[in-house]
Amino acid sequence: YVEAVPETHSGRRCLTQLVDGIEAASRDDTSRLDERHSEVGRMLSSYATLLRYDAQWGLAADVHGTIVEFAQRIGDGARMLDSMLMRGYSLRMQGRLHEASDAYAALRAAAISMHDERYRLESHLSDAKVAIDRGNSPAAREQLDRTIAEARAAECWTVVSKGLTDRARVAAMQHDLELALICSYEAL
């Protein structure tokens, strides 16, 4: 697969480094194993990001699934939660809404078990986006309003901003342009 990627494409360099990192990890003694695992995880994440930039959603979802399994094995909770979110996003971008919903539910369960409020709230924002994609603006509006309120209470300002941006989108879809403007302004 690496040979099939044009030499000028940024993905080739990333894949080459990934293969080199995996090979090095298999040769290293156990004293450097944690360091190598971290490098491989970082390279996998970089590759998944490049795939998303190229709108290769199916492959991005697969790579993020691999990262989730890898992160679970090495105990990298932050990378696991982020890849769970990005896997759901990639599935949603493909229109695989049922699978995306399942991915977001798995993210929520993992975030709750790890006591990670940000990713728990992110999973609810993602559910609202699935509702928007399904054409259910009232359900999306309700989910967003509830999630924004919870994010404010938790002082999770990243989620508040993202939620307000999505709430502005729903308001615009419902022809409430004044609310769309208010939400957009506050999100900024």
Side-chain angles (χ1 to χ4, degrees):
Y1 182 78
V2 175
E3 293 300 319
V5 178
E7 287 192 31
T8 57
H9 193 277
S10 56
R12 182 178 176 120
R13 180 171 176 246
C14 189
L15 283 171
T16 301
Q17 289 178 343
L18 179 60
V19 170
D20 290 346
I22 291 170
E23 288 175 350
S26 67
R27 290 189 307 265
D28 278 351
D29 60 24
T30 56
S31 67
R32 294 197 59 211
L33 206 51
D34 287 344
E35 180 184 328
R36 287 292 184 188
H37 282 164
S38 180
E39 285 179 36
V40 169
R42 183 186 51 77
M43 287 183 258
L44 273 172
S45 296
S46 296
Y47 181 53
T49 300
L50 289 173
L51 292 170
R52 287 195 325 267
Y53 290 160
D54 284 345
Q56 294 185 38
W57 305 116
L59 190 51
D62 288 346
V63 171
H64 278 295
T66 299
I67 295 169
V68 168
E69 291 175 19
F70 179 75
Q72 286 173 330
R73 282 193 206 121
I74 66 168
D76 188 346
R79 189 177 311 274
M80 181 189 76
L81 292 173
D82 190 62
S83 285
M84 291 176 91
L85 178 65
M86 290 297 101
R87 181 174 180 275
Y89 172 77
S90 298
L91 291 167
R92 186 172 63 81
M93 294 306 293
Q94 281 184 287
R96 296 163 58 184
L97 301 180
H98 182 73
E99 291 173 76
S101 291
D102 290 346
Y104 295 140
L107 168 62
R108 187 166 29 263
I112 289 169
S113 74
M114 295 173 68
H115 306 288
D116 191 304
E117 187 66 3
R118 176 189 165 213
Y119 280 101
R120 184 188 73 79
L121 292 166
E122 290 269 11
S123 73
H124 287 296
L125 285 183
S126 299
D127 283 340
K129 290 177 184 183
V130 169
I132 292 168
D133 291 347
R134 287 183 171 148
N136 192 345
S137 296
R141 181 184 63 235
E142 184 179 307
Q143 180 76 48
L144 288 168
D145 289 344
R146 185 172 49 251
T147 304
I148 292 166
E150 288 181 34
R152 284 184 202 281
E155 297 183 358
C156 190
W157 305 118
T158 301
V159 174
V160 171
S161 180
K162 287 179 179 182
L164 286 166
T165 300
D166 291 334
R167 185 62 181 93
R169 178 179 170 207
V170 171
M173 290 168 57
Q174 295 179 325
H175 306 289
D176 188 346
L177 301 182
E178 185 176 337
L179 179 59
L181 184 60
I182 290 168
C183 289
S184 294
Y185 181 78
E186 187 180 352
L188 291 173

